Amino acid sequence: MTTHTEQGKSYPVGATVYPDGVNFCLFSKHATKIELLLFDEPNAPKPSRILTLDPKYNRTFFYWHIFVPWIGEGQVYAYRVHGPNAPERGHRFNPEKVVLDPYAKAIVGHEIYDRTAAIEPGDNVDRCLRGVVVDTGTYDWEDDTPPKTPYSSSIIYEMHVGGFTRNRNSELPTEKRGTFAGLIEKIPYLQELGVTAVELLPVHYFDPADAMPGLTNYWGYSTIGFFAPYYEYSSDRSPAGPLNEFRDMVKALHKAGIEVILDVVFNHTAEGDERGPTLSFRGIDNKTYYILDADKENYINYSGCGNTLKGNHPIVGKLILDCLHYWVSEMHVDGFRFDLAAALWRSPNGEPIRTEGYNVIWAIESDPVLAGTKLIAEAWDAAGLYSVGQFIEYADWFSEWNGPFRDDVRAFVRGDTGMVAKIAARILGSPDIYKRPDTDVNRSINFVTCHDGFTLNDLVSYNRKHNEANGEANRDGTNDNFSWNCGFEGETRNPAIELLRQQQIKNLLTILFLSQGTPMLLMGDEVRRTQKGNNNAYCQNNELSWFDWSAVDKQADLWCFVRRLIDFNKRLELFRQEKLLEVAYTSLEPHLSWHGTRLSKPDWSEDSRSLAFSVRNPKNNEYLHVLLNAYWEPLLFELPPLGKGERWHRAIDTALPLSEAVCPLDGTVPIEGYTYLARARSSVVLIVKSIERVDEQ
């Protein structure tokens, strides 16, 4: 076999297939020599060819490149990178360690990979991850069309690809459980529930060994390959199988009208701190990729995971943009949720960047390839840079996870004092946080629960976290849960406690879907999925975290309640408003007015635990009156008077049994008079209907 190679070129970065060979390109500013390793098989113990890149011939600026004409798609490859091993200067080159191409589109070697071998001294060539050369432009998309659902019409469902179908009760073939193919099989479930977008926990290739001994990293917030789908989520284990199966899933979801949003982790990598493994970035150019302490030896840990990517370095920023381009252009995803996004507002030295200066966040949202995609920020990092409100204030397209919505809704429903004014702000789209007048109010992503924390069932079943199974003596996970166990810690057969928990779940969900903003539901909350009080199940790849499909039948009434609640949200134009509702008692525009138990007299006092409000859309003749009673006794609320031929109808009452708690819009129940008794800890929604219209129905 010929071993002739050519100079290659500096663009594109990564491994690119051409008709006559493959171009390889890798950036390293401080490397002195680079070797390209070619393997005959994914798990080959050693390379069959080693190609040394000449710094004079195979380098342009700091891009190292080579063209290999005698290989093509399917070639397995990795690198050794030589350079100074001088931690005091920020350099951690180690040619004993084989490193992965940051731009690898497919990754193999998981059967032989050993994280420990990437940490301890010695050569790890027989226990390393490798990239695979793939041609991403050959897939048949069959005229795939993104749904492009506006935020105002979106219902987001946060889910874990593996955990969604891995449970044995999923009734799927074993090989499809926990995979993209398995998710395809469950699309009818998502359609019937009424969600319009799935927000997938990380599917980028991550290191499952990045966890406490004896456990695995389940959530996937430990990325090592930003361009490659995680192999275990594919039923097709061929090198290119995960790419094609992921695209099959996207195509199928789009046909069902469901968008795909990826949770992306650009704040840190799986390489951890100075004690961590050399897998890719650390061994390619540590000083370029990571924010280092002043002594250059240690990593600044704004992520809580050992290191922080230097997102505002030009090379790292380019990698982030290239990655996003790839997933939109080649994989057809519809948006991204940026984990700990505030870390991307830190300078290469770690200081917060002034909002008027250039940063990668503005580069992302102003990029033409990404225009129209959903860009959702988790607007904080693990080191105190809390930026909720700033992404929407200073960026034109980003939306945000509304953390205060989660906390304030939980506290109000629990019955805390001093929460009425706060819950009013959350219902109104959080104008105290999002003050920019020209923005879509639905860029506030409202949620009560997410993957990080208690499930909805556990929120009403536990006063404190129970994370002992994580191996950290219950020290991990937040202590501030705003939860209430309703009188007993954990599972119980007490029917009174179970009814109260069920009612609290209904209250939390009702407020979520009544509030201005885009609602997000956590996988399994619709069927009371429990993690037994574990509020940090990142390392629990087992039944504790998985969706139990038998619960769909066991919790059929709750599932129906959620489906009807979503349908109620979708069918009223009031919930499609893109502007902040005007607070007024009379207006021709959609508006809201506050009340208490007495009309026009909301009780904003510290001890108040109740609130009422009317919301009207005169253009569509929609008129709702909402009663929220977080008090432990019933309260009698006055109702607004109506015109001739109009009557109040009950649409929602969370004090009623699940099967009656939400009425279909064409099956609402008329009530007499102008008062309504809201039972203890209940939420009520009334809707106006004309008598003539009711008679016609």
Side-chain angles (χ1 to χ4, degrees), residues 561-577:
F561 171 87
V562 177
R563 180 179 61 79
R564 287 182 174 180
L565 199 56
I566 291 173
D567 185 65
F568 185 81
N569 176 284
K570 284 183 167 183
R571 291 179 61 183
L572 291 178
E573 192 63 29
L574 270 170
F575 299 114
R576 307 280 77 76
Q577 303 303 307

Side-chain angles (χ1 to χ4, degrees), residues 216-525:
T216 61
N217 191 305
Y218 166 67
W219 283 350
Y221 293 92
S222 185
T223 309
I224 197 59
F226 290 101
F227 291 78
Y230 184 53
Y231 78 97
E232 196 171 284
Y233 296 159
S234 176
S235 62
D236 181 351
R237 296 298 176 88
S238 65
L243 280 80
N244 292 328
E245 192 166 305
F246 177 88
R247 290 187 280 197
D248 289 344
M249 177 197 69
V250 172
K251 185 164 61 175
L253 284 163
H254 283 179
K255 286 181 179 178
I258 298 174
E259 294 184 306
V260 179
I261 300 169
L262 299 188
D263 197 334
V264 290
V265 189
F266 294 121
N267 57 82
H268 74 282
T269 77
E271 292 185 303
D273 61 18
E274 54 277 3
R275 299 164 296 178
T278 298
L279 303 174
S280 182
F281 308 94
R282 186 197 306 273
I284 293 171
D285 203 332
N286 185 67
K287 193 173 181 180
T288 292
Y289 281 103
Y290 293 115
I291 299 178
L292 304 178
D293 208 340
D295 62 11
K296 303 301 181 185
E297 290 196 41
N298 298 304
Y299 297 85
I300 296 183
N301 185 15
Y302 296 127
S303 66
C305 298
N307 63 56
T308 308
L309 272 175
K310 196 183 291 185
N312 284 295
H313 186 285
I315 295 302
V316 185
K318 173 179 166 48
L319 179 141
I320 292 171
L321 282 170
D322 287 348
C323 177
L324 298 175
H325 286 176
Y326 173 75
W327 287 94
V328 170
S329 300
E330 301 293 337
M331 308 297 269
H332 286 208
V333 304
D334 304 283
F336 305 93
R337 178 264 187 190
F338 294 81
D339 179 64
L340 299 181
L344 296 178
W345 257 346
R346 291 189 180 273
S347 74
N349 294 322
E351 295 299 320
I353 294 176
R354 293 183 180 275
T355 52
E356 62 268 19
Y358 171 86
N359 59 67
V360 71
I361 291 294
W362 284 4
I364 290 168
E365 77 149 27
S366 62
D367 188 274
V369 176
L370 305 178
T373 59
K374 286 184 168 66
L375 304 174
I376 303 170
E378 184 183 34
W380 51 85
D381 67 15
L385 186 54
Y386 193 76
S387 304
V388 173
Q390 293 184 29
F391 280 82
I392 289 179
E393 182 174 357
Y394 297 111
D396 291 319
W397 188 246
F398 264 88
S399 59
E400 293 183 0
W401 267 21
N402 189 338
F405 182 96
R406 170 199 59 203
D407 298 342
D408 293 343
V409 171
R410 289 181 177 194
F412 173 79
V413 171
R414 185 170 67 174
D416 289 10
T417 58
M419 295 308 303
V420 171
K422 290 183 178 180
I423 198 67
R426 303 301 153 251
I427 289 167
L428 193 55
S430 299
D432 56 330
I433 299 172
Y434 306 119
K435 301 175 182 180
R436 184 171 167 175
D438 63 339
T439 191
D440 180 358
V441 69
N442 300 291
R443 283 165 59 195
S444 168
I445 309 300
N446 298 335
F447 64 104
V448 176
T449 57
C450 64
H451 69 277
D452 189 2
F454 280 148
T455 65
L456 194 57
N457 175 82
D458 294 359
L459 185 64
V460 300
S461 303
Y462 295 89
N463 280 354
R464 58 189 183 277
K465 65 186 183 185
H466 296 267
N467 298 356
E468 290 80 7
N470 294 356
E472 300 183 50
N474 207 34
R475 292 188 300 269
D476 62 306
T478 182
N479 295 316
D480 301 321
N481 297 291
F482 303 97
S483 62
W484 178 45
N485 65 17
C486 297
F488 184 84
E489 189 74 358
E491 296 180 3
T492 180
R493 295 183 179 179
N494 184 312
I497 292 176
E498 271 297 286
L499 279 174
L500 178 55
R501 288 177 177 176
Q502 190 180 86
Q503 187 159 317
Q504 291 291 78
I505 287 172
K506 287 183 283 184
N507 290 329
L508 291 160
L509 289 169
T510 298
I511 294 174
L512 173 65
F513 285 101
L514 287 179
S515 300
Q516 277 197 283
T518 300
M520 185 183 79
L521 186 68
L522 173 64
M523 176 187 89
D525 275 353

Side-chain angles (χ1 to χ4, degrees), residues 159-170:
M159 63 184 297
H160 186 287
V161 170
F164 190 51
T165 61
R166 194 162 284 162
N167 178 271
R168 62 183 180 276
N169 295 318
S170 64

